Amino acid sequence: MKLLKLFKIAFKAVILNKLRTLLTMLGIIIGVASVIAMLAIGEGSKESIRASITSMGSNMISIQPGADVRGGVRRSRTEMQSLTLKDYEAIKEKASLLSYVTPSVDGGGQVINGSNNWPSTIYGVNPDYLSIRVWDLQSGSMFTDADVKSAGKVAVIGKTIVDNVFLEGIDPVGQMIRFNNIPFKVIGVLEEKGENTSGLDQDDVVIAPYTTVQKRILAIDYLREIIASAVSEDEAQNAVTEVSGILRVQHKLAENEDDDFHVRSMDELISTSSSTSEMLTILLVAVASISLLIGGIGIMNIMYVSVKERTKEIGLRMAVGGKGSDILMQFLIEAILISITGGLLGVILGLGSTVFIEKFLHWPTSVSLYSIVISFAVCAVTGIFFGWYPARKASALDPITALRYE
């Protein structure tokens, strides 16, 4: 009952100074809203990265030439020729943890259809490529192993190519295009994928048999990449180890020699991207948390002012039998009320901010329950921490001195 009465007294004191209370809350409101918004942006970016990488094929494994020199200087892929068709054949024959494997070569150039042209990239692969990338066809069909063996001049194109070189709305399937003056018959159109994690348009692509691209476009006999798909996500890391072992034997590398290739799975890429995003999120939240600290200091400042203004009131309460603990609780409840009310308003503002960011700025956001709980808990702790000292000072006042205070 005593606690309820103290709560009513504290609530009345807060209501009597509406503007001052609101201004005191402002730091808490902005701090909580900032923390929620920053965490939502961080979580949204992580989910967006994961979804984008997964759309490339969650089981996908990339084998590229050259040692893995992260953080150092790596030569251009065109300068590294340590992957060959024999490596691809060895992996295809010996790897037990892979479901699909394809060689890959690529080069840039102009896609031309009549008077329309568009700069793009051509990828030379085999028919397994679409299964590895989990990519379906919108229309037409994929080229076959027979087209690969005969180095057929057939191609499957992405939505961006269709939009830029078939402006009259003609069905591309069955039409002829030229890539760097080499004619290709369009036999299929890929479903739209959108941008990847690097912001590159995945639909701006021409896919053709790797033999055709090697011989007619690039004039090379080595591979720029081997792309594979593990039998399952759980086996992806084991598949990486297995492929590395096969290639070390294939390249006759001694135990003390470094790999002249590097193998990566999507799990590794997701982990790297997520950790980078997490670091940025922590930095943003740390900056946003400064507002909470400033809000706490504001509460302490106002509580000091309140103690000074109500010194006579405190003396009178203590003179008629009020205990120091009651005075302490009264002022502490006031500080917590200000803090928690500011926290509630901050949560509302934070949720509104995430909606605004996603709708108008088109940034991915994801509000998690823990961000709201943590922000609210911090508000309560802030109220107790910064309100305790002024409340303690009020409870320690001498009644006679307080009654004489002017």
Side-chain angles (χ1 to χ4, degrees), residues 45-60 197 233 237 264-278:
S45 66
K46 281 196 284 187
E47 287 182 13
S48 177
I49 288 168
R50 183 175 289 274
S52 182
I53 292 174
T54 301
S55 74
M56 294 168 63
S58 57
N59 303 345
M60 194 171 87
T197 52
E233 278 191 62
Q237 285 305 314
R264 288 187 184 176
S265 68
M266 287 295 103
D267 281 346
E268 186 180 353
L269 188 55
I270 288 172
S271 176
T272 303
S273 299
S274 295
S275 63
T276 303
S277 178
E278 199 166 316

Side-chain angles (χ1 to χ4, degrees), residues 183-339:
F184 285 87
K185 182 180 180 180
V186 177
I187 60 170
V189 175
L190 295 161
E191 281 194 350
E192 190 172 358
K193 273 231 177 191
E195 293 182 350
N196 64 13
T197 52
S198 303
L200 298 176
D201 185 0
Q202 297 182 86
D203 302 309
D204 189 2
V205 64
V206 177
I207 298 174
Y210 70 87
T211 48
T212 309
V213 177
Q214 273 187 317
K215 294 174 184 178
R216 301 181 185 275
I217 303 291
L218 303 175
I220 59 174
D221 59 1
Y222 58 89
L223 302 178
R224 291 186 175 167
E225 188 176 13
I226 297 172
I227 306 171
S229 178
V231 292
S232 69
E233 278 191 62
D234 294 337
E235 293 289 354
Q237 285 305 314
N238 292 332
V240 168
T241 303
E242 182 184 49
V243 168
S244 296
I246 292 169
L247 286 178
R248 284 190 66 84
V249 172
Q250 184 70 17
H251 292 187
K252 298 181 174 62
L253 297 172
E255 286 187 13
N256 60 344
E257 287 186 279
D258 293 332
D259 295 340
D260 58 355
F261 58 87
H262 57 280
V263 186
R264 288 187 184 176
S265 68
M266 287 295 103
D267 281 346
E268 186 180 353
L269 188 55
I270 288 172
S271 176
T272 303
S273 299
S274 295
S275 63
T276 303
S277 178
E278 199 166 316
M279 284 177 64
L280 289 172
T281 303
I282 291 169
L283 179 63
L284 290 171
V285 170
V287 173
S289 299
I290 293 172
S291 294
L292 280 174
L293 178 63
I294 293 169
I297 293 169
I299 288 174
M300 180 182 278
N301 185 43
I302 287 301
M303 294 311 296
Y304 263 125
V305 171
S306 185
V307 169
K308 286 287 185 183
E309 284 181 348
R310 294 155 64 188
T311 301
K312 276 194 174 182
E313 177 193 329
I314 294 166
L316 184 60
R317 287 182 187 279
M318 296 180 78
V320 296
K323 296 179 182 178
S325 59
D326 295 333
I327 303 298
L328 174 68
M329 284 302 297
Q330 178 189 332
F331 281 90
L332 197 55
I333 288 170
E334 280 186 39
I336 294 171
L337 268 176
I338 293 171
S339 185

Side-chain angles (χ1 to χ4, degrees), residues 71-128:
V73 177
R74 178 180 294 158
R75 291 182 299 165
S76 165
R77 287 188 306 154
T78 58
E79 298 175 5
M80 295 183 286
Q81 304 179 17
S82 59
L83 286 182
T84 65
L85 280 170
K86 288 184 179 179
D87 296 327
Y88 155 68
E89 288 162 2
I91 292 170
K92 187 176 181 181
E93 181 183 339
K94 298 175 183 177
S96 61
L97 297 177
L98 300 180
S99 51
Y100 302 101
V101 188
T102 178
S104 179
V105 290
D106 59 85
Q110 291 285 326
V111 181
I112 302 167
N113 174 40
S115 60
N116 302 319
N117 66 87
W118 181 255
S120 188
T121 304
I122 189 167
Y123 288 87
V125 293
N126 72 15
D128 286 348

